[in-house]
């Protein structure tokens, strides 16, 4: 792999990863192409960037007249504390879960291929919410071509299987492998959950390929009402070698559905930050959400795009500070902190 990537290129690459939609992603790719050092060692990467620019440009242009080669844009703009993709084989209960958890009217059916479009919906948890995106199934013989694109903005995935289906082991392997081919790794590495640290860290791998994404994945073993044997999940994990954290659920009986919000909150290390204006009480019902490791400046950017540039200092209430302590832009935030931003 190429050495000596310039700071300008690395910056563009980071912005690409942080981009929120296709337009932004395309602009970042163009910037990556512009700033990448042009030499033999970067030829592969240059070709990769060019083909992504081509693909995204076509996607954004919509279907060509008389051709159905490329469809409309299928990505969902993230909202709430995190965007969670629902993945799985046909008929495992993805749409049922979505409807039950978000109150959406996701189409549910006893036959496969009922879901054709990404369907967003919000799962409330305490005073925040997670965006769950219902998606079409992935099977041995079919995966929508736009699915890979739609997953670029996801923060995590729920891999939903029907635990009463003897083939669910194969489904897990098929889906993991099909996505892996498309540079999407279903990862067992949740920042907020314990895991086996003897393996190669994802970040180390990420340095090798800027286009590979890692989705922390929760295995949802659904339809436990049809198959209440808890051993089956262990067997499935042993047979497939996957080490995803697991939640055994039933949409029919409601079993374990109420735990999902807290698993996501903890697993993704969501941090709620409440803001206040000087001399006023804090707004306690509408937190801004960031992830563990975020700073005061990150929150300032969420409050207003231009605020960050005009930032002077903040006062903070919460962990590690005395009430109203003056802090700088790099001050790290913890869940339930309150900040008062002061501008130039
Ligand atoms: N017994 C039982 N049936 C379920 C459960 N979840 C979903 N189903 C049924 O499984 C079928 C497929 O569900 P659907 O949500 O459309 O699956 P999808 O293809 O993964 O979106 C429907 O008939 C649902 O009513 C469950 O937990 N238990
Ligand atoms: Mg469905």
């Amino acid at each position: 792999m190429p050495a000596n990537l310039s700071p300008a290129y690395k910056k563009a690459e980071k912005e690409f990863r942080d981009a929120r939609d296709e337009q932004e992603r395309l602009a970042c790719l163009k910037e990556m192409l512009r700033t990448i050092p042009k030499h033999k060692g970067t030829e592969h990467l240059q070709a990769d960037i060019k083909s992504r620019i081509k693909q995204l440009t076509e996607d954004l242009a919509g279907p060509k007249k008389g051709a159905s080669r490329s469809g409309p844009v299928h990505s969902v703009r993230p909202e709430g504390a995190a965007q969670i993709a629902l993945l799985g084989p046909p008929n495992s209960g993805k749409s049922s879960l979505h409807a039950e958890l978000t109150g959406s009217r996701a189409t549910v059916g006893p036959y496969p291929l009922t879901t054709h479009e990404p369907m967003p919906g919000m799962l409330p948890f305490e005073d925040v919410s997670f965006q769950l995106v219902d998606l079409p199934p992935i099977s041995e013989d079919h995966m929508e071509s736009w699915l890979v694109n739609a997953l670029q903005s996801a923060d995590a995935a729920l891999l939903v299987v029907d635990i009463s289906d003897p083939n669910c082991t194969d489904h897990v392997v098929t889906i993991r492998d099909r996505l892996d081919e498309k540079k999407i790794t279903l990862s067992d590495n949740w920042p907020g959950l314990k895991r086996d640290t003897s393996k190669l860290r994802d970040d180390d791998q990420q340095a090798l390929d800027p286009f590979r994404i890692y989705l922390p994945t929760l295995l949802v073993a659904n339809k436990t009402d049809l198959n209440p044997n808890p051993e089956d999940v262990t067997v499935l994990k042993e047979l497939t070698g996957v080490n995803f954290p697991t939640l055994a659920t039933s949409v029919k009986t409601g079993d374990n559905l109420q735990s999902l919000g807290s698993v996501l909150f903890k697993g993704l290390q969501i941090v709620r930050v409440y803001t206040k204006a000087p001399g006023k009480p804090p707004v306690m019902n509408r937190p801004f959400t960031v992830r563990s490791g975020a700073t005061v400046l990150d929150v300032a950017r969420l409050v207003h795009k231009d605020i960050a540039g005009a930032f002077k200092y903040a006062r903070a209430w919460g962990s590690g500070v005395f009430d109203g302590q003056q802090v700088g832009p790099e001050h790290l935030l913890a869940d339930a902190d309150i900040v008062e931003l002061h501008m130039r």
Side-chain angles (χ1 to χ4, degrees):
M1 271 313 274
N4 305 326
L5 292 169
S6 62
Y9 172 82
K10 283 184 182 152
K11 180 164 171 282
E13 193 182 281
K14 180 171 186 314
E15 282 169 3
F16 171 77
R17 280 209 206 95
D18 294 343
R20 303 288 278 173
D21 64 27
E22 256 106 348
Q23 296 283 4
E24 274 178 44
R25 220 165 275 131
L26 181 59
C28 294
L29 283 168
K30 288 179 175 166
E31 184 61 12
M32 284 164 72
L33 189 61
R34 195 181 71 77
T35 50
I36 193 167
K38 311 287 188 303
H39 58 70
K40 196 119 193 112
T42 66
E43 269 173 8
H44 276 301
L45 194 49
Q46 287 185 54
D48 238 10
I49 296 169
K50 280 179 194 160
S51 80
R52 285 193 180 241
I53 289 176
K54 184 161 174 283
Q55 185 199 327
L56 210 45
T57 308
E58 282 174 9
D59 284 357
L60 284 167
K64 297 223 165 56
K65 272 205 188 92
S68 55
R69 196 161 50 88
S70 50
V73 176
H74 282 94
S75 64
V76 173
R77 197 174 175 83
E79 275 174 38
Q83 186 183 66
I84 318 294
L86 283 163
L87 301 173
N91 244 1
S92 61
K94 298 178 292 303
S95 299
S96 306
L97 270 169
H98 193 268
E100 188 64 30
L101 293 168
T102 71
S104 77
R105 285 191 241 137
T107 24
V108 174
Y111 40 87
L113 301 174
T114 321
T115 308
H116 298 289
E117 298 280 320
M119 158 79 103
M122 302 309 286
L123 161 71
F125 172 72
E126 296 184 353
D127 54 358
V128 298
S129 55
F130 293 96
Q131 184 184 49
L132 300 191
V133 183
D134 191 21
L135 292 162
I138 301 171
S139 64
E140 188 74 66
D141 26 75
H142 193 71
M143 177 165 90
E144 299 283 353
S145 59
W146 51 262
L147 194 64
V148 172
N149 224 351
L151 289 175
Q152 299 298 315
S153 53
D155 297 296
L158 305 183
L159 177 50
V160 185
V161 296
D162 175 351
I163 197 66
S164 73
D165 181 344
N167 292 322
C168 67
T169 309
D170 298 337
H171 296 152
V172 167
V173 172
T174 302
I175 291 167
R176 182 194 57 192
D177 292 353
R178 289 206 71 160
L179 290 172
D180 188 73
E181 278 166 29
K182 302 288 183 187
K183 302 200 179 191
I184 294 169
T185 302
L186 297 185
S187 166
D188 55 21
N189 185 9
W190 287 79
L193 305 177
K194 274 208 209 89
R195 78 190 276 260
D196 178 4
T197 47
S198 60
K199 290 191 204 148
L200 184 61
R201 280 174 49 225
D202 289 345
D203 317 0
D204 299 339
Q205 295 171 15
Q206 186 142 48
L208 301 176
D209 186 345
F211 293 123
R212 182 165 285 280
I213 60 169
Y214 295 84
L215 293 179
T217 300
L218 180 72
L219 182 66
V220 177
N222 191 37
K223 307 200 189 182
T224 50
D225 57 289
L226 298 179
N227 187 18
N229 184 3
E231 280 298 296
D232 284 354
V233 178
T234 317
V235 172
L236 179 142
K237 284 182 154 184
E238 275 167 15
L239 290 176
T240 56
V242 301
N243 199 21
F244 306 129
T246 310
L247 197 64
T249 62
S250 165
V251 181
K252 189 124 184 232
T253 64
D255 201 24
N256 256 340
L257 295 186
Q258 71 295 338
S259 343
L260 186 62
S262 74
V263 172
L264 293 173
F265 188 89
K266 187 165 167 254
L268 292 170
Q269 293 188 320
I270 304 294
V271 167
R272 291 168 291 191
V273 180
Y274 302 85
T275 53
K276 72 182 283 305
K280 300 233 171 92
V283 185
M284 286 314 284
N285 59 347
R286 212 167 32 86
F288 287 89
T289 52
V290 287
R291 304 276 289 272
S292 175
T295 64
V296 164
L297 190 60
D298 292 322
V299 171
R301 283 199 196 95
L302 289 180
V303 174
H304 196 287
K305 222 174 164 176
D306 301 327
I307 261 180
F311 181 87
K312 213 157 88 190
Y313 68 92
R315 293 193 182 285
W317 289 256
S319 58
V321 289
F322 59 80
D323 281 356
Q325 183 175 333
Q326 184 170 327
V327 295
E330 300 306 325
H331 176 69
L332 288 175
L333 295 163
D335 189 39
D337 281 358
I338 296 168
V339 297
E340 179 182 281
L341 300 168
H342 290 261
M343 303 299 133
R344 255 184 263 284

